[in-house]
């Protein structure tokens, strides 16, 4: 399932109102693009909808269930089982190699290592043109390479929802096209939901819903495709 609903979300960072009364509903199988200028609250909203961060006020429902009184363990389980993340600043684990970073979510999800994971991870790395970097450490990669590793890692578990924060900000046109192709394919074939925060209007053509964010508020919501 994985329907997500945010009700009157407020996020106050010591006086900075990053989100000021957001109401949003995301149905299964949507591609929701959250677009807005720098500082408008995109990352904050993505982290709250993805249950990484908690709102100061307001409610998040997943499949109709209020999440405000879930334990950390319950929240982590939803994140791990249902969600995939491409973070704006990648957050690769520096001590792990590229292939280890990519397969880590699968390893955690399945609770034990299986060598098929490596094959699966290598396939994604190959699709994104970085299989030759599989044994490198994150510190040895360019920004665009790191972003491609982060994308592969978000795809490895085939989650129900992928939250992607400016996922093509550091990559070249070809890798961006690979990402768009994957997004469309996973969305069509597996009904995977995408929630994407971006400045990049190129995403608008793929969106089922476009959320225009400004100063922590939704200016308007447009229906896409
Ligand atoms: N941890 C934090 N502590 C204090 N203020 C924060 C924190 N995170 C974000 N903010 C503030 O909240 C507002 C929204 O930030 P956010 O990162 O959500 O914006 P954004 O739309 O993702 O911007 P960008 O396009 O630059 O990534 C900004 O004013 C920012 O300075
Ligand atoms: Mg951001």
């Amino acid at each position: 399932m994985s329907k997500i609903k945010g009700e009157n979300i407020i996020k106050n960072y010591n006086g900075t109102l990053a989100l000021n009364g957001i109401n949003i509903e995301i149905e299964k199988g949507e591609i929701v693009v959250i677009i807005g200028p720098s500082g408008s609250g995109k990352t904050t909203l993505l982290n709250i909808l993805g249950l990484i961060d908690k709102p100061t006020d307001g409610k998040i429902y997943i499949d109709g269930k209020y999440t405000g009184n879930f334990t950390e363990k319950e929240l982590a389980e939803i994140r791990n089982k249902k969600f995939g993340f491409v973070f704006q600043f990648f957050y690769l684990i520096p001590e792990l190699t590229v292939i280890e970073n990519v397969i880590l979510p699968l390893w955690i999800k399945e609770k034990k290592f299986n060598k098929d994971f490596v094959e699966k991870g290598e396939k994604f790395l190959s699709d994104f043109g970085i299989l030759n970097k599989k044994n490198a450490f994150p510190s040895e990669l360019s920004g665009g390479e790191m972003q491609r590793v982060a994308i592969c890692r978000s795809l490895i578990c085939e989650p129900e929802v992928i939250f992607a924060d400016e996922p093509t900000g550091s990559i070249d046109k070809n890798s961006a096209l690979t990402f768009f192709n994957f997004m469309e394919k996973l969305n069509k074939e597996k009904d995977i939901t995408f929630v994407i925060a971006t400045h990049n209007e190129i995403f608008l053509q793929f969106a089922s819903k476009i959320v225009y964010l400004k100063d922590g508020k939704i200016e308007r919501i447009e229906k896409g495709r």
Side-chain angles (χ1 to χ4, degrees):
M1 276 260 291
S2 282
K3 179 178 160 161
I4 303 168
K5 183 175 173 190
E7 208 175 75
N8 201 23
I9 302 301
I10 309 262
K11 183 69 180 184
N12 188 333
Y13 290 113
N14 309 312
T16 302
L17 256 188
L19 297 176
N20 187 6
I22 299 286
N23 288 292
I24 187 169
E25 277 190 60
I26 299 168
E27 305 286 344
K28 180 164 172 56
E30 281 205 88
I31 296 179
V32 176
V33 173
I34 300 169
I35 195 159
S38 180
S40 58
K42 301 182 297 295
T43 297
T44 307
L45 180 57
L46 221 59
N47 287 345
I48 288 175
L49 294 173
L51 305 178
I52 288 174
D53 199 2
K54 289 195 167 136
T56 312
D57 203 355
K59 293 173 175 164
I60 302 291
Y61 298 87
I62 306 285
D63 295 334
K65 282 199 195 99
Y66 173 57
T67 60
N69 40 30
F70 284 12
T71 62
E72 258 322 305
K73 199 174 164 215
E74 287 170 321
L75 294 171
E77 183 147 325
I78 298 175
R79 286 196 302 264
N80 188 240
K81 291 227 166 102
K82 293 180 181 252
F83 297 168
F85 297 92
V86 184
F87 295 104
Q88 186 168 16
F89 302 109
F90 320 134
Y91 299 138
L92 300 176
I93 296 178
E95 294 82 4
L96 299 183
T97 63
V98 162
I99 186 70
E100 289 165 349
N101 266 282
V102 170
I103 67 173
L104 187 64
L106 199 51
W107 194 339
I108 293 171
K109 185 179 171 188
E110 302 294 335
K111 296 196 172 81
K112 62 174 197 294
F113 179 79
N114 180 327
K115 62 180 183 352
D116 294 349
F117 298 171
V118 175
E119 211 169 293
K120 193 170 179 192
E122 286 179 354
K123 175 77 178 55
F124 282 115
L125 290 173
S126 162
D127 287 333
F128 281 87
I130 42 170
L131 185 58
N132 60 334
K133 299 284 178 185
K134 70 174 177 175
N135 294 319
F137 288 92
S139 61
E140 299 167 326
L141 302 177
S142 73
E145 289 165 347
M146 286 184 215
Q147 185 149 46
R148 283 181 276 165
V149 176
I151 291 170
C152 293
R153 180 180 59 182
S154 78
L155 297 171
I156 194 90
C157 288
E158 291 175 13
E160 292 176 26
V161 186
I162 294 181
F163 294 91
D165 198 351
E166 209 65 80
T168 58
S170 305
I171 57 184
D172 58 39
K173 208 170 151 204
N174 271 336
S175 299
L177 284 175
T178 307
F179 180 74
F180 298 143
N181 287 336
F182 264 103
M183 181 173 77
E184 287 213 290
K185 186 169 178 292
L186 292 170
N187 180 254
K188 276 207 189 84
E189 291 174 6
K190 308 207 164 162
D191 216 21
I192 294 180
T193 309
F194 283 80
V195 187
I196 292 169
T198 188
H199 302 270
N200 193 343
E201 298 197 348
I202 195 165
F203 275 103
L204 299 184
Q205 62 187 299
F206 302 103
S208 59
K209 192 188 274 170
I210 305 161
V211 177
Y212 290 89
L213 206 62
K214 198 181 171 198
D215 298 333
K217 285 188 174 167
I218 293 180
E219 266 194 322
R220 65 181 194 282
I221 295 182
E222 270 174 22
K223 232 178 118 54
R225 298 183 277 158

